[in-house]
Amino acid sequence: YECIGRYATNPYYIDDACLNIFSIEELCWYIKNNVYFLEDTFASHELNRFISSNLGLTELADELEQMTDRQGSMPDYVCAILRYADFATDEEMEDIRRTLDAGNELSAAGKRKIRGDHFMTDGVYPSAVTEYMQALQNADDEMLRCRIYHNLGTAFAKMFLFDNAAGYFMKSYEISRSDSTYEEYLAALKMKTDKDDYIRLVSDGKISGYAAEAVEKNFTDAEARISRRPEHVMYMQALKLKNDGKISEYDKKTDALINDFKTQYIKCRK
């Protein structure tokens, strides 16, 4: 890929993201990754001047200036930028158009939640938590708060922070009274609680016995699935090598397994 235009000496500053933009490629990257946060004010004479004067892309700037003057649509504006830099396929631009149109119907909290959902899908759970927490600050709708609480529980569980997960699953359950959410709460509670204490909670009737049975079945099914996962199979193979006294081969196998876990963990923490 050959860069288009100049690399700016004086960057364009995007307030909402606290981000300096130095090139058309950086601007395109920002657009593609922040579609739900693009307000109408994004299309501005100031940005057009930056594209013209600092990046040297006068043809694009002229096209954008005409759109700005006649108060054209945001989808047309951002797609003109992406198309000029050849930074998105036609299918991606159609998705961006649909996203922008849908975003007009969403509150600020709703947009934050969706951004968090994207981070969840990508496995970047700390960033998802940050977005969900910010969404809660402006979430007036009870069911929206319910969904955010549930997703926070899921994100914390994915990071093995089961105490936090249990708390947010319960907050979600208190609104929705959903059986599945209650079971997720119990699963997080089981993971964070000493085995004897958990059994005591069930025996004392402090948690639903029926739900506890469902959770136990889910754990049994999960253990069966885990036993078939490549990393588990690899671990069992390594353990056999160790038991057979093949320490050198055992070390190689465990090193490969640990490096794979490190790669996954680093991706999660970004």
Side-chain angles (χ1 to χ4, degrees):
Y1 179 86
E2 184 176 348
C3 293
I4 297 172
R6 294 195 297 263
Y7 189 82
T9 303
N10 298 313
Y12 180 78
Y13 185 71
I14 299 177
D15 289 325
D16 292 342
C18 300
L19 181 69
N20 283 321
I21 298 293
F22 289 88
S23 68
I24 193 66
E25 288 78 17
E26 290 178 358
L27 181 61
C28 289
W29 180 92
Y30 173 78
I31 290 171
K32 286 185 68 174
N33 288 276
N34 296 273
V35 178
Y36 271 104
F37 293 92
L38 296 178
E39 302 291 344
D40 289 339
T41 53
F42 179 77
S44 66
H45 295 294
E46 183 184 3
L47 178 55
N48 300 340
R49 286 193 296 272
F50 169 78
I51 292 172
S52 177
S53 302
N54 296 65
L55 303 185
L57 302 174
T58 55
E59 182 181 349
L60 172 61
D62 289 344
E63 180 183 357
L64 298 176
E65 188 69 8
Q66 291 176 23
M67 292 182 185
T68 308
D69 285 339
R70 65 173 184 264
Q71 297 182 335
S73 73
M74 176 62 73
D76 286 345
Y77 186 91
V78 298
C79 285
I81 296 172
L82 295 171
R83 187 182 303 107
Y84 186 89
D86 196 21
F87 208 86
T89 64
D90 290 341
E91 291 79 8
E92 287 174 327
M93 285 190 281
E94 281 304 311
D95 285 342
I96 288 170
R97 286 182 179 277
R98 284 192 291 270
T99 299
L100 286 170
D101 289 337
N104 291 331
E105 307 298 323
L106 293 175
S107 64
K111 291 179 181 180
R112 283 283 178 191
K113 178 193 173 292
I114 289 176
R115 183 177 169 93
D117 293 345
H118 284 308
F119 281 126
M120 282 284 286
T121 300
D122 291 341
V124 190
Y125 306 121
S127 296
V129 167
T130 298
E131 295 298 332
Y132 291 143
M133 289 297 194
Q134 292 181 354
L136 281 175
Q137 295 177 13
N138 301 302
D140 297 325
D141 180 76
E142 185 177 52
M143 290 314 297
L144 176 59
R145 289 202 309 277
C146 178
R147 292 192 293 272
I148 294 172
Y149 286 144
H150 179 272
N151 289 8
L152 276 167
T154 303
F156 280 118
K158 292 284 189 179
M159 294 188 289
F160 304 101
L161 300 173
F162 296 111
D163 195 13
N164 302 65
Y168 281 108
F169 281 136
M170 177 50 70
K171 282 178 178 288
S172 179
Y173 172 72
E174 287 171 348
I175 298 173
S176 69
R177 313 307 290 184
S178 162
D179 290 343
S180 61
T181 300
Y182 186 73
E183 289 173 13
E184 288 170 312
Y185 159 72
L186 288 188
L189 187 67
K190 178 180 172 68
M191 293 299 294
K192 85 178 188 72
T193 306
D194 178 80
K195 181 178 180 180
D196 292 336
D197 290 340
Y198 180 78
I199 292 173
R200 194 175 300 111
L201 287 172
V202 177
S203 301
D204 292 345
K206 293 183 178 179
I207 58 179
S208 165
Y210 176 80
E213 289 180 9
V215 169
E216 289 303 318
K217 182 180 184 305
N218 290 339
F219 269 68
T220 301
D221 292 344
E223 288 171 357
R225 290 194 301 271
I226 289 171
S227 69
R228 297 191 293 270
R229 288 174 66 97
E231 57 266 32
H232 180 79
V233 173
M234 192 173 179
Y235 168 74
M236 296 306 295
Q237 291 172 345
L239 196 60
K240 184 176 186 306
L241 290 171
K242 182 180 180 181
N243 293 336
D244 291 345
K246 300 177 180 179
I247 303 304
S248 177
E249 294 178 52
Y250 165 78
D251 288 341
K252 290 180 181 178
K253 183 76 75 172
T254 53
D255 284 346
L257 187 59
I258 290 169
N259 286 333
D260 184 54
F261 285 149
K262 284 181 178 178
T263 300
Q264 294 180 40
Y265 179 77
I266 290 170
K267 179 184 177 183
C268 168
R269 299 299 297 182
K270 285 183 179 178

